[in-house]
Amino acid sequence: MSNTIICFGRKLEHFSSTSRSKLSCFNQSYRGLISTCFRFLVFRVNPFWVQLAYFIVLSLVGFGALKMSKPKSGSVSPKNIDLFFTSVSATTVSSMSTVEMEVFSNTQLIIITILMLVGGEVFTSMLGLLLGRFRFETPPSFDGDIVNSISNRGLQSDYSLTSKNIAQEVELGRITFSALANEKPINDLESNKNLTSDIKSLKYKATRCLGYLVFGYLLVVHAVGSSLVSMYVSLVSSARKTLKTKGIDIRTFSFFTVVSTFANCGFVPTNENMIVFKKNSGLLLLLIPQILIGNTLYPACLRALIWVLDKMTKKVEFSYILKNWKEMGYSHLLSSVHSCFLAATVFGLTLVQFILFCSMEWNSETMDGFSSYQKVVGSLFQVVNSRYAGESVVDLSTISSAILVLFVVMIKRK
């Protein structure tokens, strides 16, 4: 009996070790497969096709999720083409819809929110940083062509001249092999290899740091924004009553609206867009910054954030990003001068549009029922949205033709 138990124990131990070995091999193979796929995407496939495949797959997945989830009780289920159109519109943040938003259930609103989040420009740019960082995970290769490997550091001419002199000395018999081994150019090559490796390592760390920073930017803005909107709606009875009448959950509305506003999509869970909240000036003031920091002001805000973190932490990665913003390969990262000019342009054009809108629409039927304060906030919200997100607190059909032309011009200059 004891021999049987001992034999069984040995077999169990052998099986366990074999399983661990096979599992380890499987994990290595799995990681190798993922690594190979990443390398193929980064080095072999044109970025255009990667983005196209990303949005197509995302739209199809969104359509399937909307199709499987049921609409709001009492509502007619939308047609497949309408659901697919809504999925594509949310993924590409184009804010076009053939279905009334109040038809969608709470689950479907959450699905649309996710589509807008992962299809937004800031999120997709973060994925680009992830793929770009993968380029630096492969250590630099130094092949036989030494001249090419050091030409990037401006040493090609020096090395060529020195190598010619050495060759002449060898032909004349004035130099030995041992002397060749101790020549300074070889040491320069070694130090250059180390320097190039250090630069690549620093750039890899900076790219990784920038990716984490963009992710943190997304996370904080959405968390803070949705919390403030949720708090406002919960405290203000008129806004809370509007959502309760329409059967929209406060938390879903808050996160949906903040994601849509930040991504500049323009979707709102209500059929009337933001017109039902035209007198909730506090809510409009909370959403205006979301529109700007998710679009044109994003590069300026990102650079300002990196500058602040550089001053606070003194990390070399932040300093490298600020000084080598072109080499980072991130299109939203601009120089300090360009960022300042960009911010000045945004505020300048918004101010011009705000003045013109107020001067022509202040006493029109568009502003009927507004107080002076509500007119100011509503006008500011409308002019900012007309250039970016597309949300509205007024009926655009009642606006004068001159203002509509102004909106078109501002949209073209976006």
Side-chain angles (χ1 to χ4, degrees):
M1 182 66 179
S2 60
N3 292 335
T4 304
I5 295 175
I6 293 173
C7 182
F8 177 76
R10 290 177 178 175
K11 289 183 178 181
L12 184 62
E13 181 181 1
H14 176 71
F15 175 77
S16 177
S17 61
T18 304
S19 300
R20 284 197 300 267
S21 177
K22 290 183 178 180
L23 183 61
S24 176
C25 293
F26 175 77
N27 288 335
Q28 291 179 358
S29 301
Y30 181 70
R31 292 177 181 176
L33 179 61
I34 294 179
S35 177
T36 303
C37 292
F38 266 108
R39 292 179 190 279
F40 179 75
L41 289 176
V42 173
F43 296 104
R44 299 294 182 182
V45 182
N46 190 299
F48 169 78
W49 299 112
V50 175
Q51 293 186 22
L52 180 63
Y54 175 79
F55 284 109
I56 290 177
V57 171
L58 201 59
S59 300
L60 292 174
V61 171
F63 165 70
L66 290 174
K67 179 64 178 177
M68 289 188 293
S69 55
K70 297 181 180 180
K72 189 179 295 185
S73 58
S75 301
V76 180
S77 180
K79 298 179 180 178
N80 291 339
I81 186 63
D82 294 328
L83 289 178
F84 183 69
F85 185 86
T86 303
S87 176
V88 173
S89 182
T91 302
T92 57
V93 291
S94 52
S95 71
M96 293 186 291
S97 178
T98 57
V99 182
E100 292 185 340
M101 296 302 296
E102 293 179 22
V103 170
F104 296 114
S105 63
N106 189 68
T107 302
Q108 289 177 321
L109 289 178
I110 294 175
I111 293 171
I112 296 174
T113 304
I114 295 173
L115 292 177
M116 291 187 295
L117 178 64
V118 299
E121 186 175 359
V122 178
F123 186 90
T124 53
S125 69
M126 183 184 68
L127 296 181
L129 279 175
L130 176 63
L131 291 177
R133 190 186 73 177
F134 190 78
R135 292 177 180 270
F136 302 103
E137 293 184 358
T138 303
S141 58
F142 296 96
D143 52 17
D145 193 0
I146 304 177
V147 175
N148 290 335
S149 69
I150 63 174
S151 60
N152 295 330
R153 304 300 301 171
L155 299 176
Q156 181 175 357
S157 59
D158 294 339
Y159 175 78
S160 301
L161 180 60
T162 307
S163 60
K164 288 181 180 179
N165 294 337
I166 293 177
Q168 292 174 358
E169 295 293 329
V170 171
E171 290 178 0
L172 296 175
R174 298 174 183 174
I175 190 170
T176 62
F177 180 80
S178 59
L180 275 173
N182 295 323
E183 278 297 317
K184 186 177 180 180
I186 304 300
N187 295 331
D188 288 344
L189 290 178
E190 293 297 329
S191 62
N192 180 72
K193 290 180 182 180
N194 295 332
L195 181 60
T196 305
S197 179
D198 292 341
I199 292 175
K200 270 212 162 188
S201 176
L202 179 58
K203 190 172 182 179
Y204 168 74
K205 291 179 180 179
T207 305
R208 182 179 61 179
C209 182
L210 184 60
Y212 290 150
L213 190 61
V214 174
F215 176 75
Y217 184 91
L218 272 171
L219 185 63
V220 172
V221 168
H222 285 91
V224 173
S226 58
S227 299
L228 291 176
V229 171
S230 179
M231 187 183 304
Y232 177 88
V233 175
S234 300
L235 295 177
V236 179
S237 58
S238 58
R240 184 175 65 251
K241 183 179 179 180
T242 299
L243 293 183
K244 185 177 181 181
T245 302
K246 294 179 176 294
I248 301 174
D249 183 73
I250 293 179
R251 291 168 296 181
T252 302
F253 170 82
S254 302
F255 192 62
F256 184 103
T257 305
V258 168
V259 170
S260 176
T261 304
F262 181 85
N264 286 189
C265 180
F267 274 151
V268 178
T270 60
N271 292 338
E272 305 87 354
N273 205 277
M274 292 297 293
I275 296 178
V276 290
F277 300 105
K278 62 183 181 180
K279 295 185 177 181
N280 296 115
S281 301
L283 177 60
L284 302 183
L285 288 174
L286 289 175
L287 295 179
I288 289 174
Q290 300 280 335
I291 301 170
L292 296 174
I293 64 179
N295 194 279
T296 313
L297 283 185
Y298 169 62
C301 293
L302 180 63
R303 185 168 185 90
L305 179 60
I306 297 173
W307 181 84
V308 171
L309 292 175
D310 178 44
K311 296 299 181 182
M312 292 177 59
T313 62
K314 304 295 182 180
K315 281 191 173 183
V316 67
E317 290 89 345
F318 295 126
S319 179
Y320 181 87
I321 293 173
L322 293 175
K323 294 178 181 178
N324 302 275
W325 52 275
K326 279 187 177 180
E327 297 180 8
M328 297 303 299
Y330 189 54
S331 60
H332 296 289
L333 194 60
L334 306 177
S335 65
S336 57
V337 176
H338 194 170
S339 299
C340 292
F341 282 144
L342 179 63
T345 302
V346 170
F347 289 120
L349 291 177
T350 302
L351 179 61
V352 170
Q353 193 177 4
F354 173 74
I355 293 173
L356 293 176
F357 184 87
C358 288
S359 62
M360 299 194 67
E361 301 294 336
W362 189 265
N363 295 318
S364 66
E365 63 175 339
T366 304
M367 295 293 186
D368 287 345
F370 285 78
S371 65
S372 297
Y373 173 70
Q374 290 171 346
K375 286 182 179 181
V376 171
V377 177
S379 299
L380 181 60
F381 183 84
Q382 190 61 51
V383 299
V384 171
N385 270 279
S386 65
R387 193 162 184 255
Y388 299 103
E391 297 169 8
S392 179
V393 291
V394 297
D395 186 358
L396 296 180
S397 63
T398 62
I399 295 178
S400 62
S401 301
I403 295 299
L404 290 179
V405 172
L406 176 64
F407 285 174
V408 172
V409 172
M410 290 299 175
I411 292 172
K412 293 295 288 184
R413 291 186 61 85
K414 178 179 176 181

